[in-house]
């Protein structure tokens, strides 16, 4: 009886090993799931959250932000700094500085939701790289946008 | 002393080329097989499909610094990679890879290869003790416990084949399989042999002396740069020798239809190496007591029974 | 030209083997650390295999490597790992007993050389057909051969039994 | 150099080396402290015997195969002896927690 168990153990063990080998062989001949970045890129999910970015007004091209500061107030990590100024000919303030400390940001999205002007959105920028941390400690979100203040 | 100097130099160069090229190809193949079994590609960047990746890595390793730990036993530490590499060059000598492709036809070639295969453990032991590191020492001790468990079944396998072929010469053994490969007569023995060479070459699921997840890197934990690459070279060369032996003992060596001999040799050999890689990326590592159980209580009785039955059949 | 070069290499190789044997043996006996002793022994055994080969017996050389280095040395290494303890290595202080092996061996050597002086050397080291060894083992030497196998079996069983005495686990 | 060239094929060299090994082995048996040290010395001693037999058998006897068989037997017996010796060493270590010969004084009156 013991001998039978011994032999049966060997046989069932071998069979289970063969099953495992079949699985890995099937894996090997099937298509790899990897995407060869940067030559290929995987499609980003529709609601991907990169760092926040400033939206521009369609008409003027100026930033939509009027520096109310609600984003800076609601931010749990206190990583947003906003300064605004009133241009002479308009009633609303316009942001002149909008700095994001991305080293602290946890991408919670409260700023995006709280913005009354709907000026903030998530970017789709995922391949961030830099040489030093200061590049991400003070990210200037107004960069590249037109400004009403010409210096 | 009648061998001409040109022949000696040619064979030395040839064996060195086989050792080096084989390691380059096997490292690449291993990474490719591993990758594809994980739904990955493996190396793709250097050369077509990453073929030159190993060369790039080798050059990188050459440029690195070879560190000897302060507490290490310096002579043993330095000797270990050499001890594990040198026997390979001797063990390659009697291996026939083709009808005429053989450095030296030796009538005890099989014994020589098996005896030198044992020196591998000695290199591991030296490295383990020389490093003065507890993980390395554990790796070395495990290698010793391991060799005791697998050597007897391995020798029994070889003995059975010797009995069937009636010769210790690798060439004669291959030639004896002209009409039928021994794997057809001895399928069980082939399985036992494959398991024991997996044990002998220290490969997963039996890589106890290396065991990344338990011993970090086991016996070669303290080795950097060239020392590390020599161990790598030795490991893959031992795989080559073990697989070559398997192809000669069970698959008729270089014999096969249509293709020339060396091609058949390499096909069979790399087929067996692929099998070993397949094992490595499929099976989890055993516990050491499970390995001892496998060696002493399963492989040994099976090999013994097989040996006795074969002897009985041959005597009839 | 080439022949003399080969001969020089051969002679140097032989001298290296002799050095390996004697140096390894000295290391094996005098080293403080048992591990060094062990590797000295391995070196000496490898050298002895070389000597056997040089005496025209590749079979014995290979058997020497296989049995001594593959089995005996591995067993010793196993024993070392099982019984390792610091501070018990090295040698005892030398005393008058050190003269015993010297005197004994000098006496033996002189006796041997004296008796050798009269004899003529009938043959030199040469390659001979060793395949007859197998037939001899199963013919004239069958009894010692079988006795050895019985001895080995008994020794292995005995070793296991002794090692299991008072096992605590 | 002339002397060196004749080395590999002279009986004398083998005899001297064999005796040297025997002496070294005996010396080790007398002065090593531990059982494993004993075993190592014992192996060296047996090697001396083996070389001697092989050398005499090769140079002085018409049929050298007998010497080879004797040496094979020595190798086999050495393997058996090593197994027993290690068994004893392990058992001793288990009971005394040491393999130093000086402390194995359980049989002392």
């Amino acid at each position: 009886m013991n001998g039978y168990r011994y032999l049966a153990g060997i046989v069932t063990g071998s069979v289970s090993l063969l099953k495992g080998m079949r699985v890995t062989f099937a894996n090997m001949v099937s298509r790899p799931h990897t995407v060869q970045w940067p030559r290929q890129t995987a499609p980003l999910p529709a609601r991907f959250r990169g760092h926040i970015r400033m939206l521009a007004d369609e008409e003027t091209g100026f930033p939509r932000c009027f520096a109310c500061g609600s984003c800076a107030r609601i931010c749990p990590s206190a990583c947003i700094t906003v300064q605004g100024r009133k241009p002479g000919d308009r009633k609303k303030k316009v942001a002149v500085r909008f700095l994001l400390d991305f080293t602290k940001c946890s991408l919670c999205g409260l700023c995006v939701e709280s913005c009354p002007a709907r000026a903030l959105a998530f970017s789709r920028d995922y391949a961030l790289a830099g040489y030093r941390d200061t590049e991400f400690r003070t990210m200037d979100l107004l960069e590249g946008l037109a400004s009403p203040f010409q210096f | 002393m009648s061998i001409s100097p040109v022949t000696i130099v040619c064979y030395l160069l040839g064996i060195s080329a086989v050792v080096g090229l084989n390691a380059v190809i096997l490292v690449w193949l291993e990474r490719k097989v591993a990758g594809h079994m994980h739904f990955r590609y493996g190396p793709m960047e250097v050369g077509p499909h990453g073929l030159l990746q190993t060369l790039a890595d080798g050059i990188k390793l050459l440029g690195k610094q070879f560190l000897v730990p302060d507490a290490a036993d310096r002579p043993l530490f330095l000797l270990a990679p050499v001890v594990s590499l040198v026997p390979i060059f001797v063990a390659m000598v009697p291996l026939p890879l083709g009808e005429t492709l053989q450095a030296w036809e030796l009538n005890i070639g099989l014994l020589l290869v098996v005896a030198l295969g044992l020196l591998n453990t000695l290199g591991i032991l030296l490295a383990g003790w020389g490093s003065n590191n507890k993980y390395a020492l554990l790796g070395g001790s495990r290698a010793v416990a391991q060799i005791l468990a697998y050597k007897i079944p391995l020798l029994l396998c070889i003995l059975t084949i010797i009995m069937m072929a009636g010769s210790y010469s690798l060439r004669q053994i291959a030639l004896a399989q002209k009409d039928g490969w021994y794997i057809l007569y001895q399928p069980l023995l082939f399985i036992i042999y494959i398991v024991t060479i997996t044990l002998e070459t220290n490969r997963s699921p039996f890589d106890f002396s290396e065991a990344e997840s338990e011993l970090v890197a086991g016996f070669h934990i303290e080795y950097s740069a060239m020392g590390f690459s020599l161990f790598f070279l030795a490991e893959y060369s031992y795989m080559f020798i073990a697989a070559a032996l398997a192809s000669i003992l069970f698959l008729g060596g270089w014999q096969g239809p249509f293709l020339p001999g060396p091609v058949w040799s390499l096909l069979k050999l790399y087929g067996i190496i692929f099998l070993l890689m397949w094992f490595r990326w499929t099976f989890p590592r055993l516990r050491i007591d499970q390995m001892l159980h496998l060696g002493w209580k399963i492989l040994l009785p099976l090999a013994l029974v097989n040996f006795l039955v074969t002897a009985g059949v041959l005597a009839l | 030209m080439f022949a003399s070069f080969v001969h020089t290499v051969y002679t140097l190789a032989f001298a290296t083997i002799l050095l390996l044997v004697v140096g390894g043996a000295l290391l094996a006996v005098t080293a403080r650390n048992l591990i060094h002793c062990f590797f000295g022994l391995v070196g000496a055994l490898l050298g002895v295999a070389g000597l056997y080969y040089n005496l025209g017996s590749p079979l014995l050389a290979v058997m020497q490597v296989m049995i001594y280095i593959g089995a005996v040395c591995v067993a010793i290494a196993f024993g070392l790992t099982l019984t390792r303890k610091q501070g018990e290595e090295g040698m005892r202080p030398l005393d008058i007993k050190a003269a015993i092996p010297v005197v004994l061996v000098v006496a033996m050597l002189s006796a041997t050389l004296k008796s050798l002086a009269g004899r003529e050397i009938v043959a030199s080291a040469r390659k001979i057909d060793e395949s007859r060894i197998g037939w001899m083992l199963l013919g004239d030497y069958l009894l010692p051969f079988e006795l050895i196998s019985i001895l080995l079996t008994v020794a292995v069983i005995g070793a296991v039994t002794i090692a299991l005495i008072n096992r605590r686990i | 150099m002339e002397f060196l060239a004749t080395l590999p094929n002279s009986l004398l060299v083998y005899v001297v080396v064999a005796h040297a090994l025997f002496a070294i082995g005996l010396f080790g048996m007398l002065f090593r402290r531990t059982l494993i040290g004993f075993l190592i010395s014992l192996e060296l001693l047996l090697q001396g015997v083996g070389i001697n037999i092989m050398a005499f058998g090769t140079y002085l006897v018409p049929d050298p195969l007998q010497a080879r068989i004797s040496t094979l037997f020595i190798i086999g017996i050495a393997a058996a002896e090593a197994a027993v010796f290690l068994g004893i060493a392990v058992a001793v270590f288990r009971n005394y927690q040491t393999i130093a010969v000086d402390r194995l004084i359980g049989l002392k009156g």
Side-chain angles (χ1 to χ4, degrees), chain C residues 7 10-11 14 18 21 25-26 28-32 34 37-38 41 44-45 48 51-52 54-57 60 63-64 67-68 72 75-76 79-80 82-83 85 88-95 97-98 101 104-105 108-109 112-113 116 119-126 128-130 132-133 136-137 141 144-145 148 151-152 155 159 162-163 166-168, chain D residues 1 4-5 7-9 11-17 19-28 30-34 36-41 43-44 46-47 50-51 54-56 58-69 71-84 86-91 93-95 97-103:
Chain C
H7 194 74
Y10 174 61
T11 314
F14 187 74
L18 286 186
V21 173
L26 281 175
V29 167
T30 55
R32 273 203 62 75
L34 264 182
C37 297
F38 172 70
L41 175 70
L45 294 177
V48 173
L51 288 184
Y52 285 166
N54 201 54
L55 280 168
S57 179
L60 266 167
M63 288 315 262
Q64 165 94 2
I67 298 179
Y68 262 112
V72 175
I76 293 178
L80 267 181
L82 283 185
T83 60
K85 203 172 174 191
E88 292 182 347
E89 293 149 347
M91 295 175 52
R92 291 180 219 185
L94 292 181
D95 57 13
K97 273 191 294 180
L104 195 65
V105 167
M108 273 161 57
L109 194 58
T112 315
L113 293 181
L116 270 182
R119 292 193 66 152
E120 57 170 326
I121 291 174
V122 298
S124 60
R126 62 208 189 276
I128 49 157
D129 180 26
E130 292 187 306
R132 257 193 319 129
I133 284 184
M136 286 170 80
L137 278 179
Y141 294 88
F145 183 66
I148 286 258
L151 173 72
L152 271 171
I162 292 171
N166 283 352
R167 195 176 173 177
R168 299 220 177 82
Chain D
M1 205 59 220
L4 267 181
L7 267 187
N9 205 4
L11 173 58
L12 193 64
V13 175
Y14 294 100
V15 173
V16 170
V17 167
H19 279 80
L21 273 187
F22 192 87
I24 294 171
L26 204 56
F27 181 77
L30 286 174
F31 287 100
R32 292 304 303 189
R33 275 181 202 277
T34 56
I36 304 266
F38 265 40
L39 180 57
I40 289 176
S41 312
E43 298 297 339
L44 287 174
L46 283 174
Q47 288 307 304
I51 298 178
M54 275 294 286
F56 286 135
T58 308
Y59 285 102
L60 297 178
V61 180
D63 183 12
L65 285 188
Q66 291 175 349
R68 276 149 213 214
I69 287 180
T71 316
L72 268 181
F73 282 159
I74 288 184
I75 295 179
I77 291 172
E81 158 253 314
V84 174
L86 285 167
I88 294 175
V90 169
F93 185 77
R94 192 167 275 139
N95 290 319
Q97 305 305 316
T98 176
I99 52 166
V101 200
D102 298 342
R103 306 212 201 134

Side-chain angles (χ1 to χ4, degrees), chain B residues 1 3-5 8 73 76 104 108 111-112 114-116 118-119 121-122 125-126 129 137 141 144-145 147-148 155, chain C residues 2 6 10 33 35-36 38-39 42 46 53 58-59 62-63 65-66 69-71 73-75 77-78 80-81 84:
Chain B
M1 294 299 140
I3 313 165
S4 86
I8 296 177
D73 195 330
L76 294 191
W104 185 22
I108 49 168
L111 276 183
L112 182 70
V114 173
L116 289 167
L118 291 162
L119 292 182
T121 308
L122 217 59
L125 206 60
L126 259 176
W129 261 318
L137 183 62
S141 314
V144 177
I147 194 176
L148 290 176
L155 288 178
Chain C
F2 176 68
V6 166
Y10 174 61
N33 191 339
I35 312 301
H36 290 176
F38 172 70
F39 285 108
V42 171
L46 271 179
Y53 180 76
L59 175 71
V62 171
M63 288 315 262
V65 172
M66 197 149 112
I69 296 180
C73 282
V74 167
F78 198 57
L80 267 181
T81 58
R84 216 164 118 81

Side-chain angles (χ1 to χ4, degrees), chain A residues 6-7 10 16-18 20-22 24-37 39-40, chain B residues 32-33 35-42 44-45 274-275 278-279 281-283 293 297-299 301-302:
Chain A
Y6 170 81
L7 287 177
I10 291 175
S16 77
L17 291 182
L18 285 178
M21 286 172 69
R22 199 186 66 197
T24 41
F25 192 79
N27 285 1
M28 197 184 72
V29 292
S30 65
R31 252 188 98 71
H33 294 179
T34 338
V35 175
Q36 292 295 99
W37 197 82
R39 278 179 274 293
Q40 303 167 346
Chain B
K32 274 298 189 194
V33 168
H36 281 275
M37 284 183 176
H38 295 161
F39 297 115
R40 296 184 285 117
Y41 287 101
M44 287 292 276
E45 293 301 317
F274 171 73
L275 199 61
W278 193 358
F279 290 165
W281 299 107
T282 306
F283 304 138
H293 180 268
K297 294 192 186 163
I298 296 178
L299 294 183
L302 285 182

